[in-house]
């Protein structure tokens, strides 16, 4: 038995029918590289079964204390059934991008069974009409509860079911797996009693680590090295209200080479700054088309991993966060990038002054019973509608592989990430890089964003404007792009093609690269 941290447990307490707290991905694979040139569903089952010992989350389930008087525990599930967690679907013809987005949204909207290991792999066949994707490809839409993994440990879990070559190497189990017996009520209450007695000691320890950071922050503010200007709540938008049980998903893809070239035009700027400015520009265009663009800048919460080298394979979350302004009030793309960079630098300095790990430890201070009650009351009483949000959306950056990955011998040709939304925060943008391409895939509430293709198109248009303003070039138009339009007139359409790569104007000669499919 291993107890969840306060941060991990908070995701369990936030779980409701309308706010399932899992993260996920939609990865697309070309089976032509697999042995024999095809992959059967039973091959996938056998492949995953051989990798179960590579990630602890696969066979561990939650056990909750009576009345949530203490944080839950992980145990090795004595009733583990692989075929419950790996499911099989097929898209009807024509098998296009829009159909895949709709199925992904529906699967992501369904809560996981909290009495089983908290993950699912949904294998989807019939992807026959997606630009840039080989006909006959299949997708794996995964779901893993946020209590079990964060973005970084999710990468470790993904590594368990991927290889670097299409050959499927044997991975012998390090030790035999043994299920555990379910603990009884008396045992759980005894553990809760001990933990609640020691709770005040943890509070004192965390506060003691915080005081030097607060003093350091005060000194840096007085010296003018950190500014509190703009440190205010975010403006309320249509994305910041009580969420429904329904979700939408879409994405936009960009050449990583172009993003790096763009950020180099602003001294000190990072790839993250460029991505944040694209998100800001996309939100500006989208909300303006909906008549809901606020006058002040919108803010994003950006998770920060505090996972140490020795914690890479540990379950759960090791994250802190900072809030960054997105510059949605600025029309000029270069001015927006400069503003985002400046604000990001200031936010990083504030977080570093106190310490990201110390901030993450504050999740451990609230007693389990109070945490659970507070989370449930916040949702059931609709508190999100009664106050200004601390941030408008989430932008989370997950590092990906620069080289091809293979699942059961099938080559991964594209991958996109999904995340949870909750009351007061109805949009999460997941940034993921893979083989020279960087994508912004997003999850939102269907009532808040009934036209996700318009937001995806708005980010693509923002990228083109930023590229032209900084590099003097635009990407080759490879297909008609949907323009943002009122949500009431939104129609489903096939995903537009992704921008092709071009070189900055200073290059001796321009070379056109083949068009690549846009982030699905």
């Amino acid at each position: 038995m291993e107890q969840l941290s306060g941060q991990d447990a908070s995701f369990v307490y936030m779980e409701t029918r309308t706010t399932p707290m899992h993260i996920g991905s939609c990865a697309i694979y070309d089976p032509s590289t697999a042995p024999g040139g095809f992959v059967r569903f039973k091959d996938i089952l056998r492949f995953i079964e051989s990798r179960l010992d590579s990630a602890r989350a696969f066979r561990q389930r939650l056990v909750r204390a009576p009345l949530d008087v203490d944080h839950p525990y992980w145990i090795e599930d004595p009733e583990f059934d692989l075929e419950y967690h790996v499911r099989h679907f097929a898209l009807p013809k024509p098998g296009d991008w829009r159909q895949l987005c709709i199925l992904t949204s529906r699967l992501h909207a369904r809560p996981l069974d909290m009495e089983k290991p908290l993950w699912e792999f949904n294998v989807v066949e019939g992807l026959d009409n997606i630009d840039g994707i080989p006909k006959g490809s299949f997708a794996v839409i995964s779901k893993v509860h946020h209590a079990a993994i964060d973005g970084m440990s999710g990468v470790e879990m993904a590594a368990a079911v991927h290889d670097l070559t299409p050959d499927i190497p044997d991975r012998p189990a390090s030790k035999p797996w043994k299920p555990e017996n379910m603990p009884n009520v008396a045992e759980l209450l005894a553990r809760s009693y001990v933990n609640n007695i020691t709770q005040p000691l943890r509070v004192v320890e965390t506060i003691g680590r915080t005081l030097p950071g607060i003093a350091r922050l005060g000194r840096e503010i007085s010296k003018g090295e950190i500014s509190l200007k703009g440190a205010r709540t975010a403006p309320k938008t249509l994305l910041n209200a009580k969420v429904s049980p329904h979700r939408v998903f879409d994405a936009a893809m960009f050449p990583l080479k172009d993003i790096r070239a763009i950020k180099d035009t602003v001294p000190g700027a990072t790839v993250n700054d460029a991505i944040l400015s694209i998100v800001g520009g996309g939100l500006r265009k989208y909300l303006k088309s909906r008549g809901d663009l606020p006058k002040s800048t919108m803010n994003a919460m950006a998770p920060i991993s505090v996972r140490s080298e020795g914690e890479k394979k540990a379950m759960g979350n090791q994250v802190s966060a900072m809030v960054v302004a997105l510059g949605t009030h600025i029309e000029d793309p270069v001015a927006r990038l400069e503003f985002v960079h400046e604000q990001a630098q200031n936010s990083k300095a504030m977080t570093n002054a106190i310490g990201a790990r110390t901030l993450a430890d504050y999740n451990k201070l609230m007693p389990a019973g109070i945490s659970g009650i507070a989370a449930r009351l916040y949702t059931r009483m609709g508190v999100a509608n009664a106050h200004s949000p601390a941030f408008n959306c989430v932008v989370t950056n997950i590092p990906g592989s620069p080289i091809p990955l293979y699942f059961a011998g099938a080559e991964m040709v594209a991958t996109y990430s999904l995340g949870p939304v909750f009351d007061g925060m109805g949009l999460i943008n997941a940034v993921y890089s893979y083989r020279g391409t960087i994508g912004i895939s997003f999850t939102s509430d269907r009532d808040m964003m009934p036209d996700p293709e318009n937001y995806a198109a708005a980010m693509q248009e923002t990228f083109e404007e930023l590229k032209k303003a900084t590099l003097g070039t635009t990407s080759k138009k490879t297909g008609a792009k949907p323009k943002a339009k009122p949500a009431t007139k939104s129609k489903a359409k096939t995903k537009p093609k992704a921008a092709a790569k071009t070189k900055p104007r200073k290059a001796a000669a321009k070379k056109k690269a083949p068009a690549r499919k846009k982030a699905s």
Side-chain angles (χ1 to χ4, degrees):
M1 283 177 68
E2 178 182 345
Q3 190 169 33
L4 277 69
S5 69
Q7 187 174 54
D8 296 341
S10 68
F11 292 113
V12 177
Y13 303 142
M14 291 176 69
E15 176 89 11
T16 70
R17 184 183 68 86
T18 58
T19 58
M21 297 305 296
H22 51 257
I23 61 178
S25 67
C26 175
I28 301 177
Y29 301 91
D30 176 9
S32 67
T33 61
F38 60 90
V39 178
R40 297 167 298 185
F41 182 66
K42 67 179 183 180
D43 297 329
I44 291 174
L45 283 173
R46 189 163 48 244
F47 175 78
I48 295 173
E49 186 175 25
S50 69
R51 307 299 176 92
L52 290 176
D53 67 309
S54 299
R56 296 170 58 192
F58 280 132
R59 289 186 288 211
Q60 290 193 332
R61 61 154 292 179
L62 280 178
V63 175
R64 298 178 76 158
L67 302 176
D68 284 335
V69 295
D70 198 7
H71 295 322
Y73 291 84
W74 293 114
I75 69 163
E76 300 294 334
D77 184 14
E79 299 177 343
F80 177 73
D81 177 10
L82 176 63
E83 294 193 32
Y84 174 85
H85 296 274
V86 185
R87 291 122 185 246
H88 195 187
F89 296 85
L91 292 181
K93 292 185 181 301
D96 60 24
W97 167 250
R98 189 64 184 149
Q99 289 175 292
L100 180 61
C101 285
I102 291 171
L103 178 60
T104 301
S105 303
R106 289 174 177 170
L107 291 173
H108 192 68
R110 299 175 186 172
L112 292 163
D113 187 338
M114 301 297 285
E115 295 185 354
K116 296 182 182 295
L118 297 177
W119 65 277
E120 289 177 9
F121 282 179
N122 300 280
V123 180
V124 183
E125 295 187 86
L127 280 60
D128 294 332
N129 193 34
I130 301 178
D131 291 342
I133 300 298
K135 188 174 182 179
S137 293
F138 67 91
V140 176
I141 302 170
S142 67
K143 296 162 58 175
V144 187
H145 203 279
H146 217 328
I149 62 171
D150 57 25
M152 292 301 296
S153 60
V155 171
E156 295 294 323
M157 189 174 181
V161 293
H162 287 97
D163 299 307
L164 301 181
T165 66
D167 300 324
I168 305 175
D170 291 330
R171 292 194 192 179
S174 54
K175 58 182 179 180
W177 176 73
K178 293 182 180 180
E180 296 180 75
N181 294 323
M182 293 287 290
N184 57 44
V185 172
E187 181 182 354
L188 292 171
L189 289 175
R191 287 173 177 265
S192 301
Y193 178 76
V194 173
N195 289 335
N196 287 324
I197 287 177
T198 59
Q199 177 72 13
L201 299 177
R202 293 194 291 271
V203 173
V204 172
E205 179 187 358
T206 302
I207 292 176
R209 291 202 307 271
T210 303
L211 293 176
I214 293 175
R216 183 164 56 251
L217 176 62
R219 290 194 300 270
E220 293 183 9
I221 291 173
S222 63
K223 292 178 183 178
E225 296 176 1
I226 293 178
S227 172
L228 293 180
K229 183 179 178 181
R232 61 176 71 92
T233 57
K236 195 158 188 176
T237 73
L238 57 83
L239 299 171
N240 305 114
K242 187 176 175 66
V243 298
S244 76
H246 312 296
R247 299 291 176 264
V248 291
F249 160 79
D250 211 319
M253 299 294 280
F254 317 102
L256 181 56
K257 180 180 178 182
D258 287 350
I259 297 294
R260 286 174 172 161
I262 287 169
K263 65 94 176 173
D264 286 343
T265 63
V266 174
T270 65
V271 167
N272 280 346
D273 295 337
I275 291 295
L276 287 168
S277 70
I278 291 172
V279 171
L283 282 170
R284 175 184 172 84
K285 289 178 182 291
Y286 178 73
L287 291 178
K288 189 174 182 180
S289 75
R290 298 280 303 274
D292 193 49
L293 179 64
K295 293 182 179 179
S296 59
T297 181
M298 295 172 67
N299 295 335
M301 189 271 277
I304 303 170
S305 175
V306 294
R307 189 175 294 271
S308 67
E309 190 68 25
E311 296 169 326
K312 280 191 173 181
K313 294 186 178 181
M315 286 183 67
N317 293 264
Q318 299 285 345
V319 294
S320 182
M322 66 178 188
V323 177
V324 184
L326 294 172
T328 52
H329 62 306
I330 300 174
E331 183 175 9
D332 180 81
V334 178
R336 187 188 313 114
L337 174 57
E338 292 171 342
F339 173 83
V340 167
H341 169 59
E342 178 185 347
Q343 294 296 309
Q345 289 294 101
N346 191 66
S347 295
K348 288 175 186 175
M350 293 181 68
T351 300
N352 291 339
I354 297 178
R357 180 172 283 274
T358 300
L359 291 173
D361 286 345
Y362 269 88
N363 286 287
K364 303 175 182 178
L365 300 187
M366 187 176 290
I370 296 176
S371 297
I373 293 171
R376 288 188 289 272
L377 286 177
Y378 185 85
T379 295
R380 292 172 185 173
M381 297 181 66
V383 177
N385 294 326
H387 65 86
S388 297
F391 49 88
N392 299 103
C393 66
V394 171
V395 181
T396 179
N397 197 333
I398 305 164
S401 173
I403 60 175
L405 298 177
Y406 299 85
F407 172 83
E411 181 183 358
M412 180 193 289
V413 293
T415 182
Y416 319 100
S417 298
L418 296 95
V421 298
F422 46 86
D423 290 345
M425 199 292 296
L427 173 66
I428 179 168
N429 303 273
V431 183
Y432 195 91
S433 58
Y434 179 60
R435 297 179 65 183
T437 301
I438 192 163
I440 306 175
S441 50
F442 58 90
T443 309
S444 187
D445 176 78
R446 193 174 70 193
D447 291 352
M448 296 177 181
M449 186 183 284
D451 52 348
E453 69 276 9
N454 287 346
Y455 176 48
M459 285 195 287
Q460 187 68 40
E461 290 168 8
T462 298
F463 166 74
E464 298 292 349
E465 293 170 356
L466 184 58
K467 184 176 179 182
K468 183 176 181 180
T470 55
L471 306 179
T473 62
T474 57
S475 298
K476 174 182 172 61
K477 301 295 188 297
T478 57
K481 284 199 279 186
K483 295 182 179 179
K485 52 186 182 298
T488 55
K489 297 181 181 179
S490 173
K491 294 180 181 178
K493 55 181 70 182
T494 303
K495 182 77 174 173
K497 294 181 183 177
K501 299 179 183 178
T502 59
K503 292 187 177 180
R505 192 184 334 189
K506 62 182 181 180
K510 293 182 183 177
K511 252 184 194 180
K512 295 181 182 178
R516 298 188 62 164
K517 164 71 185 147
K518 257 185 157 185
S520 319

